[in-house]
Amino acid sequence: MDRSWINTPQISDAYERGVEEFIQFAEHNAISSNNGVRIRCPCVNCLNGKILSVSEIREHLLCDGFF
């Protein structure tokens, strides 16, 4: 997976596409439970320390960015 988009401005189309590709990859490789797919959030605030839903992670990455 090409990760060059991580360093682009968060308001760019390339960044948004990269976040969506990351989310799809993470969802595909995650283990589902009764609560749905939940993965560790790699945003600058959570630092992989919180396990969140995909929609929460998408919001964090679009607003806060990767660490």
Side-chain angles (χ1 to χ4, degrees):
M1 174 190 294
D2 174 28
R3 291 182 267 167
S4 61
W5 57 270
I6 290 175
N7 297 318
T8 62
Q10 288 171 241
I11 58 170
S12 69
D13 290 336
Y15 185 83
E16 289 185 32
R17 279 192 307 272
V19 167
E20 289 306 317
E21 288 176 17
F22 169 79
I23 294 291
Q24 289 174 4
F25 176 82
E27 265 185 310
H28 180 73
N29 292 291
I31 298 172
S32 298
S33 68
N34 292 339
N35 297 331
V37 175
R38 297 176 66 82
I39 56 178
R40 293 191 179 274
C41 183
C43 81
V44 296
N45 295 319
C46 295
L47 302 171
N48 285 324
K50 293 183 182 177
I51 298 175
L52 303 173
S53 70
V54 170
S55 61
E56 290 173 306
I57 292 172
R58 180 180 290 113
E59 181 180 335
H60 283 208
L61 293 177
L62 291 174
C63 294
D64 304 327
F66 277 84
F67 74 91

